[in-house]
Amino acid sequence: MGPVRLEAITWERLADRLAERLLDLKPADGSPWPRVALDGAPAARPQDLAELLAEALRIRGRPSRVVGTHGFLRPASLRLEYGREDVEAYYNGWFDTNALWREVFGPLEPGGDGRILPDLRDPVTDRATRSPYVHLPPGGVLLLHGPLLLRHWFPFDLSVHVLLSPAALRRRTPETDHWTLPAYARYEQETDPAGTADVLVRADDPRHPAWSGFQG
C-alpha cells in the first residue's frame, strides 16, 4: 500500500461523518441492512467507535445494533486446545466465524428476517449467554467490532480499520497478551487492512486520531 494521507479529526466528528455516509448507503447485494466493520486489535478499542457511531445514527433516526466478536469466541476447549498462547490458534480458531455467519449475517441477507443473536458465549465464564434474539428493522445498521475482521469475506458494506503502529500496539496491549502480536503482524501482511478498508483511522494517540476519509 502506498502512503495514505490522513487528517486530524475527533472521534465524535468521525462518528458523525460515518453516520452521514451510512444514511445514504445502499448495500450492493440488495439487503435492507447495511453491515459495517469496525476492525482493530483490542488495544485500538474499535468498540468505542462502534458505540459512538451507534449514538450518531440514533440521533439521526436510524436504528443500529452493536455486536462484538468477543461474544462469539469458540469454547475454551477448542480455542485453547494447543495451549493458551498459540498464535496459529488465535489467528485461525478463536472466533466462531460459522456462528457469526449463521446468527448475524444470515438473517441480514436479502430476504432475511432481521433476527440476530447479539452474542453466543460469555468470554469470561465460557458458558452460553442464552441471550435472546433481537430484531433489527429494515434500514437498521449492523455495527460489528473486533480484530481480524477483514480476512473472513464477511459481506460488509462499509469497513473501518483502526490502525496502531507496531510500537503503539505493543505499548497499549497488556503484557500478558503480547503473545498475540505476531497474529496482528501476519494480518497486516496477508490482508492489508489499512489498504483494503474503506476508511482508515490511525489511533496511536487515542486523544488525537486521524483518518483517511472514504477511500476508493
Side-chain angles (χ1 to χ4, degrees), residues 24-77:
D24 298 323
L25 182 64
K26 304 297 182 184
D29 64 0
S31 168
W33 298 281
R35 294 143 298 193
V36 180
L38 289 308
D39 176 59
R45 301 194 62 79
Q47 69 271 27
D48 292 351
L49 180 55
E51 295 289 351
L52 284 173
L53 180 51
E55 176 61 17
L57 288 167
R58 185 192 67 78
I59 64 178
R60 290 167 172 79
R62 180 63 63 88
S64 65
R65 185 73 191 191
V66 176
V67 176
T69 58
H70 63 274
F72 286 86
L73 289 173
R74 300 175 75 203
S77 60

Side-chain angles (χ1 to χ4, degrees), residues 128-190:
T129 58
R130 304 189 185 280
S131 296
Y133 285 86
V134 296
H135 182 251
L136 192 61
V141 182
L142 171 69
L143 304 174
L144 182 68
H145 65 80
L148 313 175
L149 285 179
L150 304 184
R151 58 180 297 265
H152 299 296
W153 300 99
F154 291 138
F156 293 119
D157 302 295
L158 183 72
S159 57
V160 181
H161 177 62
V162 185
L163 175 68
L164 297 178
S165 68
L169 179 60
R170 173 171 289 274
R171 183 173 65 251
R172 292 171 56 184
T173 298
E175 188 172 349
T176 54
D177 294 330
H178 277 186
W179 66 270
T180 64
L181 298 180
Y184 297 116
R186 178 178 172 184
Y187 181 52
E188 295 289 337
Q189 293 174 353
E190 295 185 353

Side-chain angles (χ1 to χ4, degrees), residues 9-10 13 17 20 44 87 103 126 143 150 158 162 164-165:
I9 195 169
T10 66
R13 181 59 180 155
R17 294 290 299 273
E20 291 293 333
V87 176
E103 305 290 1
D126 195 43
L143 304 174
L150 304 184
L158 183 72
V162 185
L164 297 178
S165 68

Side-chain angles (χ1 to χ4, degrees), residues 9 11 43-45 164 168 171-172 202-209:
I9 195 169
W11 290 110
R45 301 194 62 79
L164 297 178
R171 183 173 65 251
R172 292 171 56 184
R202 186 131 197 172
D204 287 3
D205 182 343
R207 300 166 299 177
H208 302 291

Side-chain angles (χ1 to χ4, degrees), residues 60-120:
R60 290 167 172 79
R62 180 63 63 88
S64 65
R65 185 73 191 191
V66 176
V67 176
T69 58
H70 63 274
F72 286 86
L73 289 173
R74 300 175 75 203
S77 60
L78 297 177
R79 69 177 188 273
L80 305 180
E81 181 180 1
Y82 300 104
R84 292 185 175 274
E85 299 184 359
D86 187 278
V87 176
E88 181 69 23
Y90 180 73
Y91 192 70
N92 286 310
W94 269 45
F95 299 98
D96 194 339
T97 54
N98 288 334
L100 283 165
W101 277 105
R102 182 180 68 250
E103 305 290 1
V104 178
F105 288 102
L108 303 183
E109 292 178 348
D113 61 10
R115 292 179 69 250
I116 65 174
L117 193 64
D119 50 58
L120 184 64

